Amino acid sequence: MSDLPHEPFMRRAIELAANVPDFPFGAVIVDRTTGEIVAEGWNKTSVNPTWHGEIDAINRLAERGAKINGRQLVLYTTAEPCPMCTGAILWSGIEIVVYGTSIRRLQSLGWRQIDILADEVVRRSPTWKCEVIGGILEHDCSALFQAAKPSQTVPNRTLFDFATAGGWHNVNDDVMGGISEGRCNISDRQTLEFFGNISLENRGGFASVRTVAKELGLALGDTLVVKVRGDGREYSLNLYLKKSKVAFAYRATVPTTKDEWIELKLPLASFEANSFGKPVRGAGPVDPTEINALGFLISDKQAGPFQLEVESIRVQRS
């Protein structure tokens, strides 16, 4: 890990971002052996749509004529690099990149983003070495993009499309002494399959699958749009909060029609607080900024096999 103090260099990137307040992507490249800033850049997509802040900084470094020794360089940028910029960073040999606000946060603010994170680009590039560090002066960087012009925002985005496996896990009634079985996997069709068997023995009767905790970037007025194909049984979509409570979630009903794809629109305002299968009075509406996980649950008090297939989960912004 770099031993440089990250905040001073990120503050410089923020200063550079002010050159184009509507596109506040600023970047600096630092020699970590000396602490010297060797190149700076900011967004110039008004000239060339591929001229992002990171690209500008890398080009300026190349213009110096010196051989680039990426192993001793750190690139600081106000936002997580897009796949194009991450690729440029890898090709430059830069082995450490530090960003302020994340792609997920940009999406939550309505910014158009290719939905591939920098870590994933690095992971899929095994012949290169690059450490990705995020969240440095995140609040300050996010404020830049929140204040930028609204024409860059988009009303809809995909939350989960299941193009890659991972990030989902099972929670069944065995945690309460039951013996129901629920499993999940990503199919060859790139859908989420949730299936298993419900048993009412030992006071059980539920199975669920949920995401790992992460920032989802939801906001007031958002609607979740889910496309599912089921078996005719009734499921629930649950929202889980950062301040977790035992068996607590905000819940909305997901009815299914046997073997038919249906699309459901579930406004966040329609979700109701629920604990141990019962409504929680006085809990109030869900705070979208507190949601950090979601999942599907079956608890319809019917024993037997079940199967739910999910093609996508999208966010529709009002």
Side-chain angles (χ1 to χ4, degrees), residues 101-299:
T101 196
S102 66
I103 285 176
R104 291 283 181 255
R105 179 59 176 154
L106 290 177
Q107 290 173 326
S108 76
L109 294 173
W111 284 78
R112 295 183 299 169
Q113 292 290 297
I114 297 174
D115 197 25
I116 304 174
L117 306 184
D119 272 330
E120 183 176 353
V121 177
V122 172
R123 180 174 58 82
R124 291 173 176 267
S125 309
T127 57
W128 283 274
K129 175 184 176 183
C130 185
E131 180 182 7
V132 180
I133 302 170
I136 304 301
L137 295 182
E138 181 176 12
H139 178 78
D140 301 67
C141 292
S142 294
L144 295 173
F145 296 97
Q146 193 158 12
K149 68 179 184 181
S151 64
Q152 291 306 303
T153 62
V154 291
N156 303 296
R157 64 183 175 92
T158 298
L159 200 58
F160 297 98
D161 61 5
F162 312 109
T164 58
W168 292 76
H169 64 284
N170 305 311
V171 179
N172 300 319
D173 61 11
D174 56 352
V175 300
M176 309 292 289
I179 58 173
S180 297
E181 296 180 352
R183 292 178 289 167
C184 69
N185 65 257
I186 305 301
S187 72
D188 293 338
R189 300 180 297 279
Q190 295 186 344
T191 60
L192 174 71
E193 294 180 326
F194 173 40
F195 56 95
N197 187 75
I198 294 298
S199 171
L200 303 182
E201 296 183 26
N202 297 347
R203 302 179 68 181
F206 77 85
S208 70
V209 60
R210 66 182 67 175
T211 64
V212 297
K214 69 174 186 178
E215 183 179 342
L216 297 179
L218 299 174
L220 285 173
D222 282 354
T223 295
L224 296 181
V225 182
V226 298
K227 187 173 183 179
V228 299
R229 178 168 63 181
D231 48 12
R233 298 180 69 166
E234 184 176 278
Y235 297 79
S236 297
L237 180 60
N238 284 3
L239 307 177
Y240 302 97
L241 309 182
K242 297 175 183 177
K243 298 177 181 178
S244 61
K245 302 176 183 178
V246 177
F248 180 88
Y250 278 82
R251 181 177 298 182
T253 301
V254 177
T256 67
T257 302
K258 184 175 175 60
D259 298 329
E260 289 186 15
W261 285 105
I262 60 174
E263 186 173 87
L264 301 169
K265 294 186 177 182
L266 306 171
L268 292 186
S270 70
F271 283 75
E272 297 181 349
N274 192 285
S275 180
F276 291 99
K278 297 180 180 180
V280 178
R281 295 183 178 180
V286 64
D287 179 352
T289 63
E290 288 295 311
I291 302 169
N292 71 343
L294 55 78
F296 292 92
L297 168 80
I298 181 168
S299 60

